[in-house]
Amino acid sequence: MALPVETFFLQSDASGTLQTQIRQLVAEGILAGRFRPGEKLPSSRKLALHLGVSRITVTLAFTELLADDYIIARGRSGYFVSENAPEPPAFPATSSDHSTVDWGRAIGQRFTTTQSMSKPADWATFKYPFIYGQADPTLFDSANWRLCALEALGRKDFDALTADYFDSDDPKLLDFIARQTLPRRGILAQPDEILLTMGAQNALWLTAQVLLTQRRTAAIEDPCYPALRGILEQSRCHLHAIPVDQNGLPPDSLPSETDVVFTTPSHQCPTAATMPMSRRRALLDKAEQDDFLVVEDDYEFEMSFLKPPSPALKSLDKNGRVIYVGSFSKSLFPGLRLGYLVGPAPFIREARALRASVLRHPPGHIQRTVTYFLSRGHYDALVGRMSRAFHERRTTIDAALAEHGLRVAGAGSFGGSALWMRAPEHVDTRDLAQRLAEKSVLIEPGHAFFSGPSAPLNFYRLAYSSIPTQRISNGVEILAKTLAEMS
Amino acid sequence: MALPVETFFLQSDASGTLQTQIRQLVAEGILAGRFRPGEKLPSSRKLALHLGVSRITVTLAFTELLADDYIIARGRSGYFVSENAPEPPAFPATSSDHSTVDWGRAIGQRFTTTQSMSKPADWATFKYPFIYGQADPTLFDSANWRLCALEALGRKDFDALTADYFDSDDPKLLDFIARQTLPRRGILAQPDEILLTMGAQNALWLTAQVLLTQRRTAAIEDPCYPALRGILEQSRCHLHAIPVDQNGLPPDSLPSETDVVFTTPSHQCPTAATMPMSRRRALLDKAEQDDFLVVEDDYEFEMSFLKPPSPALKSLDKNGRVIYVGSFSKSLFPGLRLGYLVGPAPFIREARALRASVLRHPPGHIQRTVTYFLSRGHYDALVGRMSRAFHERRTTIDAALAEHGLRVAGAGSFGGSALWMRAPEHVDTRDLAQRLAEKSVLIEPGHAFFSGPSAPLNFYRLAYSSIPTQRISNGVEILAKTLAEMS
C-alpha cells in the first residue's frame, strides 16, 4: 500500500531543521504504527511539493532514515518502510482510569503538605522582571558553556559521560573544588570531605537526614529559605525559628538544647544581612560550648562587587563543627542542579551512602562540563561579568528606590542580587504582586519566608539579577505608584 | 595553569611576620597538593594588592621560597611552582584542625550500613569484560547524541537548560513518554500520572518513601537487585524476601499482610526469568484480593531480539494497583541518571512533592537532550542496533557455554543482556571472579543478590552487553578452565 502524501504534516510549532522534522514525522508514524513495514512512501518530489520544502531536504532526510533502517530503497520503485523498522506495540494500550485502591490509606507518608515553591515560568515575558534566582540570557556565557559541554561529549570522555559511578563523583571536579574553589573561601578540604549534590537543595536535604531525627533539635533563621523549612518539617525534628536582626542570626537566641543550626552568614536569606566577624566567632564559640553543629549555606558569595566577601564560617572553624553548602545554581544556572557539601569525613561518608541510595550520583556529563568550564577559567570570567552588571543594576535600583522613597529592609553590604523590602504595614504584598503583574512588573512576596501563623505580610524581595539596567527605573516607578494607590 | 590570587588567604589569627606568613601560605599550598609543579603564581604586585601588604614583603617571601626551591623564576614570565618542590604526602594528611565533635553521636541516622555496590571502573581494560549494565562505546550512537545535546544547548532552549523547574518536568519529554514510549508497553497515562526520576534507583527510592512506613510490609524477590533491598531496609518496613522460580515471583508465596510487592516480571533481576501471562494475571488477582500494590521494574524490555516482549504488568492492571518504573540507563547509558515513574495521580503527586524536596528535578539539559534523541528516532535506531549486536553475542555465548558444559541457571527467553549462571556447589564465585580477573576475565559474583545469611555462593552473572562477539568464546573457555581447576 502506498502511504498517501496527505498523511504527512509538518507541525507548525515543531523545532529543528526541516530535514530533522521530516525525519521525525516519518519515524513517529512508524513508531506509532501508522506506517507499516512494506508500505510505500511518497516520492521525494511529491512529498517536497506537498510540504512546501525543497526536494533535496526530503532526499537528505530519507538518506538518514535509510541509514537507520527505518526505510529501504527498491531501485526505481522508490522508498518503503523497512521490514526491520522498529515495531509498534502488538497489544492495545489501556488506561486504568478507575482504581480500587484507597489512596488515602495506601500512601504511607505525605509530602504535599509542605508549601511548594513556584515562580512564573513565563517570567521572561514580563517587561520588569524583578525575579530572583533565574539565569539571565544576556549575561550567561552560552558559547563557552556549549564548547565545554561538547568537549565533555567527546570520545575521550565517554566513560565520564556514560559510566555508572555508583556512589562516587567525577574525580576531576572534586579535585578542582578542593584545590581552587574552596581555598577562595579559606577552606581546606580533602576529597573525602566533599560530596557533590543535586544543588544546594539536595545538600541541605542530605544533611538534615544524616543529622536529624525526631529526638533532635534544629534551629533555623526566621525569615529563611522556605524549602529548608519544608525539609526540616519533614524530618520531624524539634524546630526553632530564630528571628534574625540586621546582623543575621543572633547566637544568644539559640536554645541550649540545639543540635544543628542552619544559617546563611554571608548573605542572610532573604534579608541579605551579612554576619559580622565578631558574631561569627560568637556563634562558633557557642557551638563549642553547647555542643551543636552549624550548617552554613554560603550562597552567592561570588557576587561581591561592593567589597570582598567575609571569610566563610567554615574557614574559622577549628573544631570541625561546620558543614558547608556550596552551589553553582546562582553563578551558573539553577537548572544545572549541581552543588556540594563539605564536612568532616564521617559525616560525608553517611551523606554519600544516602545519596547513592536515593539517586546514585549527579549525571556524569553535568559534572564533566562544569569541570571544564571551571578549569578553563570561563567561570571566573562569567562571575566577573555578572558582578559588573549586578553592580550597575544595584547602583541604578538604589537610586530609583531612594528617589521614590521606598523602604529597603535589607541589602547585602558586599553585593548580592536582590534587596529585601518593607512595604507599609497595611499592605499585603501578595495583593501588591498581583496588581504589579497586571502591569508587567514581577516581584516576590515575602510571606512564604516567615515561620508561624503571625508571619508579616508586608515584606517583598526585589531582585536585579534578571532585569535589564535600563528598565529598572521605570519598574520601580510603577512599583511606587501602585504602592501609593494601595494607601 | 595560573593559580588565582583569590586562593591566597592570610589567616587572621596566624603568628609570625607577614613575610613568614606569606612564605608559609605558599609552602602549605604546595605541601597540601593544592599548588602543583609548573603552575604559575600571581605576580608579587597582584598578590601584595590582594593581601593588603607591601610589595617588598611579598618579594622577600618569594626570594626565600626561591632559595628553598619551592618556586622558580622564569625571566619575565614570573614565578612558578618548582618541579623540585617537596611533594605532598602520598596519603592525604588529616586536616590539621582536630574535631571536638563526637561523630558517633552527632550522626542521627546511618546509611553506610547497607551493602554498597561497585564495579571496577577500569572494566574496559579487561580483555573479556562480561560486565553488566555499562554502555558499549562500539554500539552507542555518540554522533547523534552529541547533535541532540548541542541542539538542547541552543538559544531557543535556553529556558529548558537553565530554568529552575521547581517540582515540574520538561513538558516535551513527559509528552513523548506518554504518547510514544508507554503505548509500546500497552500503557496509557496522562502527564499527571508520570514523574521523571534520577534513574530507576531514584524511582524505587521515591516509591518506597511514599508507600512504606515502619508499620507496613513489603515483599521483594529473592534473589533481587541489591540496591532495592538496601532502600527497603532503610525504610524500616517489615520485609519478606520471596524465593523466585523459573517463572519469576510465585504469587502464592506472598504473605497476606503484604502492602507492597516489588517485582521484575519482564526480566527477573538477576535470574532473567520471564513471568508467564497466567502468573501475571494471578499476581494482579491476588493484589486485588489481599489489597496490596505492585511496583513493576520493567527494565530492559527493549532488548527483545528473540521474541516480542510480554505486555507490561501495568498494561493488564484494571484496578490502578501497579506502579511502573522505567529507565533509560540500560538502553542509553547509566551515567545519564534518567528514568520515570508511572502511577495513579494521587501517588505521583506525593512522589513529585518528595522529589522536589530532595533534589527539585533532573537537570533540564539532560531532559531536553533525551527528548530530542527520542523524538528524532535515534533512540529506536540505537535500540535496534543494540538488539542485533546482543542477538549475535547471545548466539555466540550460548554455543560457547554449551560446548564447555557450563550450567545456565536462567536466561531471558525474549533476549536481554546477561545470563544467570550456576557454578558447582562448592565454588565460591567471589574466589572465581578474583581468579578470573587475573586472567583479564570479568564476571559478577551472585552472592550480593540474595537475602539472608544462608545466601548461596555458587551463582554468578555473565553479561554480553559490553564484550565484543569475537572475544566471547575465548573468555568462556578461560572461565571453564578456571572452574575446572577449582574442582
Side-chain angles (χ1 to χ4, degrees), chain A residues 15-16 20 23-24 27-28 31-32 68 70 86 89 91-96 98-101 103 105-112 117-119 134-137 140 142 145-146 149-150 153 158 161-164 166-167 175 178-180 183-186 188 190 193 198 201-202 205 209-213 216 225 231 234 259 281 288 293 317-321 323 333-337 344 346-347 349-350 353-354 356-361 363-366, chain B residues 1 3-4 6-7 9 12-13 33-34 36 39 92-93 97-101 103 105-112 117 119 134-135 137 140 142 145-146 149-151 153 156 158 161-164 166 172 180 183-188 198 201-202 205 209-213 216 225 231 234 259 288 293 311 314-315 317-321 333-337 344 346-347 349-350 353-354 356-361 363-366 372 375-378 380-381:
Chain A
S15 59
T20 309
R23 183 204 149 97
Q24 186 172 339
E28 280 188 354
L31 297 177
D68 282 334
Y70 276 89
F91 30 85
T94 59
S95 165
S96 52
H98 92 286
S99 181
T100 55
V101 179
W103 284 99
R105 197 207 76 89
I107 288 168
Q109 295 186 68
R110 297 206 167 265
F111 301 95
T112 44
M117 285 181 62
S118 73
K119 295 185 186 180
Q134 298 285 6
D136 184 338
F140 186 64
S142 294
W145 182 260
R146 217 171 288 145
L150 202 59
L153 287 165
F158 186 79
L161 171 71
T162 63
D164 194 333
F166 297 97
D167 63 355
D175 179 69
R179 292 204 309 127
Q180 302 282 349
R184 294 185 194 206
R185 303 298 288 131
L188 292 186
Q190 300 297 325
E193 296 172 318
M198 301 293 297
Q201 174 93 27
N202 186 227
W205 184 88
Q209 306 312 304
V210 171
L211 298 182
L212 295 168
T213 66
R216 302 252 164 127
Y225 176 50
I231 286 170
Q234 276 175 24
D259 293 299
R281 292 195 201 284
E288 185 66 15
L293 301 172
D317 168 33
K318 301 294 174 211
N319 299 323
R321 295 205 165 267
I323 288 159
F333 48 83
L336 184 67
R337 311 307 313 133
F347 165 79
R349 211 154 39 230
E350 296 302 325
L354 175 58
S357 180
V358 172
L359 61 86
R360 288 205 173 165
H361 59 82
H365 181 242
I366 300 280
Chain B
M1 204 185 86
L3 296 165
E6 291 83 4
T7 62
F9 269 102
S12 55
D13 59 347
R34 288 186 294 119
R36 303 231 169 123
E39 290 182 330
D97 298 344
H98 73 293
S99 183
T100 54
V101 179
W103 284 100
R105 197 206 78 88
I107 288 167
Q109 294 185 68
R110 298 208 166 264
F111 301 94
T112 44
M117 285 181 60
K119 294 185 186 180
Q134 299 283 6
F140 186 64
S142 294
W145 183 261
R146 218 170 288 145
L150 203 57
E151 186 173 353
L153 287 165
K156 76 175 164 47
F158 186 78
L161 170 70
T162 63
D164 193 333
F166 295 98
K172 288 193 180 190
Q180 301 280 350
R184 295 189 198 200
R185 302 298 290 134
I187 300 166
L188 290 185
M198 301 292 299
Q201 173 94 25
N202 186 226
W205 184 87
Q209 306 312 305
V210 171
L211 299 181
L212 295 168
T213 66
R216 303 252 163 127
Y225 176 50
I231 286 170
Q234 276 174 23
D259 293 299
E288 186 65 16
L293 301 172
K314 173 103 189 123
S315 75
D317 168 33
K318 303 294 173 211
N319 299 323
R321 295 204 164 270
F333 48 84
L336 186 67
R337 310 307 313 132
F347 165 78
R349 211 154 36 230
E350 297 301 326
L354 175 58
S357 180
V358 172
L359 60 87
R360 290 206 172 165
H361 59 83
H365 181 242
I366 300 281
Y372 287 142
S375 64
R376 304 281 188 262
H378 302 309
D380 292 280

Side-chain angles (χ1 to χ4, degrees), chain A residues 240-257:
Chain A
H240 293 283
I242 311 294
V244 299
D245 58 27
Q246 68 279 20
N247 289 325
L249 181 72
D252 290 345
S253 309
L254 290 166
S256 62
E257 71 270 24

Side-chain angles (χ1 to χ4, degrees), chain B residues 368-400:
Chain B
R368 189 51 62 94
T369 302
V370 169
T371 306
Y372 287 142
F373 198 79
L374 290 171
S375 64
R376 304 281 188 262
H378 302 309
Y379 180 77
D380 292 280
L382 171 65
V383 166
R385 185 162 52 248
M386 287 169 73
S387 294
R388 286 188 292 278
F390 288 8
H391 194 173
E392 193 184 69
R393 293 175 188 176
R394 172 70 174 270
T395 308
T396 308
I397 202 168
D398 281 349

Side-chain angles (χ1 to χ4, degrees), chain B residues 6 37 57 64 99 115 145-146 201 206 277 295 306 330:
Chain B
E6 291 83 4
T57 307
E64 278 186 47
S99 183
Q115 211 162 5
W145 183 261
R146 218 170 288 145
Q201 173 94 25
L206 291 167
M277 283 300 278
V295 181
L306 296 175
K330 297 291 183 296

Side-chain angles (χ1 to χ4, degrees), chain B residues 2 38-44 62 72-80:
Chain B
E39 290 182 330
K40 190 177 186 307
L41 292 161
S43 71
S44 56
F62 277 11
I72 52 160
R74 282 199 205 132
R76 292 206 169 157
S77 311
Y79 294 99
F80 296 80

